[in-house]
Structures are given as structure tokens and as C-alpha cells.
Amino acid sequence: MKDTDRNDDGYGGYDLIVIGAGSAGFSASITAADAGKRVALVGHGTIGGTCVNVGCVPSKAMIRAAEAIHGAHSAGRFPGLSGQAQVDDWQTLVQSKDDLVATLRQKKYADLLPQYPGVDYIDDGPAQIIEGGIIVGGRTLTAPKLIVATGGRPVLPAIDGIEEIDALNSTSLLELTTLPESLIFIGAGYIGAELAQMMGRMGVKVTLVTRSRLLPGAEPEVSEALTDAFAAEGITLLTGLSYDSVRRDAAGVTLRVIRDGEPVEVTADHLVSTAGRRANTDGLGLEEVGVETNARGSIVIGDDMRTSVPGIYAAGDVTDRDQFVYMAAYGAKLAVKNAVLGGDQRYDNSVMPWVVFSDPQVAGVGLGEHEAREAGFDIKTSIVPLDQVPRALAARDTRGLIKLVADKDSDRLLGGQIVAPEGSDTIQTLVMALKFGMTTKTLGETIFPYLTTVEGLKLAAQTFDMDVAKLSCCAG
């Protein structure tokens, strides 16, 4: 991009063009507008982007519904109780999810635009980047700086026959008009884990298939704990395999895999691919202007959010960085500050929390054991199973554990992961501990409220130096 002074003739009055009206695009536009800049926000797909339309909001609404069913069935873990629940009307449930999505899309995106007079929303079709601006809807818009925030989309893995079977993805699964009897999920990352368990709790027979293991990015102990929880709910998990082919016939969809050198076939009503995503960079003209992308089409950016072309920045799922909505918004703010506000800030995910909304929930922050060793630390670890956490005992739900990683020399906490029913909320305390450089000793001496899941962090910190099983309640 040309980096010259803006003038109304040369740049149409815009200081910044943002392509993509999802979480990153809105974050960038609002940040720039609040600083008095004039912004052209150019739509790319449905306003609101992935999170509100087909990602976080619809999936978590359905996961919560499935938790209500499971909670009723789980009443029996308390002596003297019993409970039952089931899906009575799948179409009504799906419609309620769609209504929630439409409401939030309108309230948190479309209705916000009039509140920012410095932002012009342009939804005239796909944009193409040129030197000094973009072409959209047959006209040229110019600005000295541009931010690409066009997001990503699901992609099918390379399996023979998969293009011919009408495979579902994380979006189309939640648009089914009838509840299937059985499903095969390919891919056991966070999307596959969440959706497979959700559908299992809706009464669907689920088989989850993966080349490696459940949540391959999590600590092995965490993966094993969640695997046990899935097995207890009747989910079939096939791991450590290679894909051979898939076909559809009168019986349904049949996936053929090779496991331990032997072919295994699984048949279900539908196959759901949750094995990967690809950046929405096709047709933007990135190659023509010299913007570097990787093999998955993702835009390669530096820590300052700048691409390989001066004046062009990128943020969110279209980049080669963390694929979380809150990191998309964070990165977009940094891009604006560096692009048009004279900043020199750097992307920092060292204390970035991540959450898998399975049950029990999985959450983590910082370095895992392998990552810490790879980074050159001489480490120590501690693991506390949930049967040592009073909250879990009182809830009669001891599925899970807490694992901490620390530097042996300085005692400073380096990271941790949690698998627990309330892990998503608990992790933020560990985020703060890492952010402010706490040691295991300091965390272990901190006062925590009794009968909370977060108290498990204190017990995990104390486990570095003692056997917490020998402590009485609150004795630590």
C-alpha cells in the first residue's frame, strides 16, 4: 500500500479499509473510529462472521441444551434422586438456536454500525485488493492502510470418496432438520470433541475417529481423562489410524480406516468432518500485490500484525495465528494501533487461555510439559486428580484433574491445564498467576474459598512439596 498523507481526492476520506465484518473486522473498525479515524468496513460473507453465526454462539447454545439432558440423567449419582430428559422436538430446538443467532447478530453487529458515524459499512460483494486500496462493487476505494479480517471456513480432509457423500461440517451439522440416529466424526480437536459429545447427549450413536488421540494439543493426562469421560457416555473413540476411503450406500455412510495394520469399517447416517479449516483468502488478490500466505492459505504476519507488504495488516482466523475469537479481536486492535495510530505493539499470547467446552471442560494457559522442555526449561510438574478437590467430592463428580508446570530453578509457574466440570472459569485464575509471575509456593499460600473448583489450583501448587491427600479440609 502507498503510505502517503490522506486527502479526500486520493483516498476518499478514509484512513483505513477493513475487509471482513466479523469479530476482528468490527474490533478494528471500532478501535479506529474511537480514535477519530475514518473507516471503510467492507463485508465479506454474513455480517458478524464465524463466531456469532456458525461458531461459538450456535454451538455453545446446543451444547448447553445437551448438558440439560445429561444433567437430568446424572441426577442418579446423588442417592435418592433420579431423572430423565430427551429431545422432544429437534426442529424447535434448532429454531431456538437460529433465533438466538439472529438476535445477537442484529444487536451486537448490525445495530452497532449507526453508533459509529466514522465507519462506512460497504456490502457490495467481494473485495479485491489492489495497490493503494480495493475494488468492491465495481468501484475503487483507497486508503493508506488496510486490514484483512476475512476469517476462515471448514475444509474436507483428503479421503478417497469424501467429495461424493455430502459430508457435514460444524455448520451444516447444526442445520439438520431431523435428528440422526448415528454419526461419524472425523477429527478429535476441540470442535470435534465438543460437537461429538453434544450429539451423543442428544441421543445419537457417535463414533469419533482421529489419526492421533482426543485433543492432540492437550497434555496426555488431560486427553486420557477426557477419553475416559467420553467412553463412560457411550462414545466410541477410534484413535491412532489412517483414513482409507468413504462411501455412501443404502446403509448410510461407511468410513474405512486402517488401524494396527487392519481395515476397520464404521457405518452411520452421516459423516461430520471437523478435521480442519482454511483461511478465506481466495480471490482477494493477495498474490498479485505480494502478500505472503502459507500452505493453508493463511496470511503470514509479524508480531506487529503486518503482512509482507507495508501498509497491509491482517487479524483473526485469516492469519497464521491463534484461531480464537478473543484473540482475533485482540489482534485487530493491535493492527489498528500499529497501522494508523502510530503504535509499536506486539502480539503476545504467552498468557492466552484456551477452553474446550466439553464436559468435563478442558482449559489451559501457558506452556505444557513438552513445550516447556522444548523451550529449554528444567521443569517440575504436579498433578491433582479431582477426587482430591472437595468441590468435586461434594458434587459427586470427580472426572478430571489439574496439572501444573513450573521452572525447577525459580519455582515460577510456566503453565497448566485443567479438565473439570468448571474448568473454563477456573483457568482465569491461573492466567493471572502466570501474568504476574507467581511461583508455586506463592500460589499454594494464597487463600482460596472452600468448596470451589478453583481451590484445586492451590492444591495442585501444594502438591509440588507435599501429599495433599494427608491434609484435612481447609488445612492448607
Side-chain angles (χ1 to χ4, degrees):
M1 301 287 287
K2 295 178 180 177
D3 190 7
T4 60
D5 294 334
R6 177 179 65 84
N7 60 73
D8 289 344
D9 292 333
Y11 293 117
Y14 294 120
D15 300 289
L16 175 68
I17 296 172
V18 179
I19 306 176
S23 298
F26 263 75
S27 175
S29 299
I30 289 173
T31 301
D34 281 342
K37 301 300 181 180
R38 184 90 175 150
V39 181
L41 173 60
V42 182
H44 185 95
T46 306
I47 190 171
T50 296
C51 182
V52 71
N53 290 301
V54 297
C56 320
V57 172
S59 66
K60 275 51 179 184
M62 297 295 279
I63 288 169
R64 281 296 193 183
E67 285 178 2
I69 296 174
H70 182 73
H73 288 294
S74 300
R77 71 174 182 253
F78 292 91
L81 298 184
S82 65
Q84 293 293 323
Q86 65 283 318
V87 178
D88 292 325
D89 188 336
W90 172 257
Q91 290 190 24
T92 296
L93 182 60
V94 171
Q95 185 60 54
S96 70
K97 174 263 297 179
D98 292 341
D99 292 343
L100 174 64
V101 167
T103 297
L104 289 178
R105 180 172 59 235
Q106 188 68 34
K107 182 177 181 180
K108 301 306 293 182
Y109 290 91
D111 287 350
L112 290 183
L113 291 170
Q115 301 179 42
Y116 294 93
V119 177
D120 289 342
Y121 180 55
I122 300 164
D123 190 20
D124 293 335
Q128 182 176 14
I129 300 171
I130 60 174
E131 185 179 359
I134 65 170
I135 297 174
V136 60
R139 60 189 173 126
T140 300
L141 303 180
T142 56
K145 299 294 170 63
L146 185 147
I147 297 175
V148 183
T150 49
R153 65 187 187 278
V155 293
L156 293 174
I159 302 175
D160 185 34
I162 198 167
E163 298 285 351
E164 287 77 50
I165 64 164
D166 294 324
L168 301 173
N169 57 36
S170 57
T171 300
S172 55
L173 172 67
L174 302 183
E175 296 173 344
L176 288 174
T177 57
T178 59
L179 183 65
E181 293 184 3
S182 56
L183 290 170
I184 300 168
F185 283 81
I186 290 180
Y190 71 95
I191 298 175
E194 290 179 355
L195 296 181
Q197 185 182 42
M198 180 271 289
M199 294 303 291
R201 290 179 166 187
M202 295 289 186
V204 178
K205 180 182 178 182
V206 170
T207 302
L208 184 57
V209 183
T210 178
R211 290 188 176 96
S212 53
R213 58 179 171 87
L214 183 60
L215 299 186
E219 295 278 51
E221 300 90 346
V222 169
S223 175
E224 183 178 353
L226 190 63
T227 297
D228 291 343
F230 276 25
E233 294 188 23
I235 296 173
T236 300
L237 185 62
L238 301 180
T239 63
L241 48 82
S242 61
Y243 300 121
D244 182 71
S245 62
V246 60
R247 68 182 186 273
R248 179 180 286 280
D249 53 30
V253 173
T254 298
L255 174 68
R256 177 184 170 93
V257 301
I258 306 300
R259 191 183 191 198
D260 297 328
E262 298 294 329
V264 177
E265 289 193 345
V266 184
T267 300
D269 293 340
H270 299 281
L271 181 143
V272 186
S273 173
T274 58
R277 295 177 64 83
R278 184 176 178 84
N280 290 326
T281 51
D282 299 340
L284 287 176
L286 296 175
E287 183 177 356
E288 288 78 2
V289 296
V291 173
E292 180 185 356
T293 58
N294 64 17
R296 299 184 65 84
S298 301
I299 297 175
V300 178
I301 57 172
D303 288 342
D304 59 357
M305 311 305 293
R306 200 181 79 172
T307 71
S308 56
V309 176
I312 301 180
Y313 294 71
D317 289 359
V318 77
T319 73
D320 59 350
R321 297 304 170 94
D322 308 293
Q323 305 287 289
F324 300 109
V325 63
Y326 44 94
M327 298 306 287
Y330 161 72
K333 289 180 180 178
L334 290 186
V336 170
K337 291 176 181 178
N338 293 340
V340 297
L341 301 183
D344 185 25
Q345 299 192 19
R346 293 292 184 265
Y347 186 92
D348 180 8
N349 63 358
S350 60
V351 291
M352 175 196 75
W354 53 266
V355 176
V356 182
F357 287 93
S358 53
D359 179 24
Q361 295 169 351
V362 178
V365 64
L367 300 178
E369 179 176 351
H370 178 73
E371 294 171 312
R373 294 189 192 280
E374 287 289 302
F377 289 100
D378 184 12
I379 66 164
K380 57 182 180 178
T381 64
S382 75
I383 295 177
V384 168
L386 252 61
D387 62 12
Q388 295 298 319
V389 179
R391 167 73 172 181
L393 294 171
R396 287 172 166 77
D397 188 356
T398 57
R399 300 170 300 156
L401 56 88
I402 298 173
K403 179 177 181 178
L404 298 180
V405 179
D407 177 39
K408 187 181 293 185
D409 295 331
S410 66
D411 194 44
R412 183 171 62 89
L413 287 160
L414 299 174
Q417 294 183 20
I418 302 167
V419 53
E422 294 159 335
S424 63
D425 294 322
T426 302
I427 197 64
Q428 194 59 29
T429 296
L430 188 56
V431 170
M432 301 304 290
L434 264 63
K435 183 176 178 64
F436 293 102
M438 290 183 70
T439 63
T440 69
K441 179 176 177 60
T442 302
L443 182 61
E445 292 175 345
T446 301
I447 297 174
F448 284 79
Y450 185 55
L451 283 179
T452 59
T453 301
V454 73
E455 183 190 22
L457 289 176
K458 175 178 181 173
L459 296 173
Q462 292 175 328
T463 298
F464 282 106
D465 300 312
M466 69 176 72
D467 182 359
V468 297
K470 296 179 180 181
L471 295 176
S472 64
C473 295
C474 304

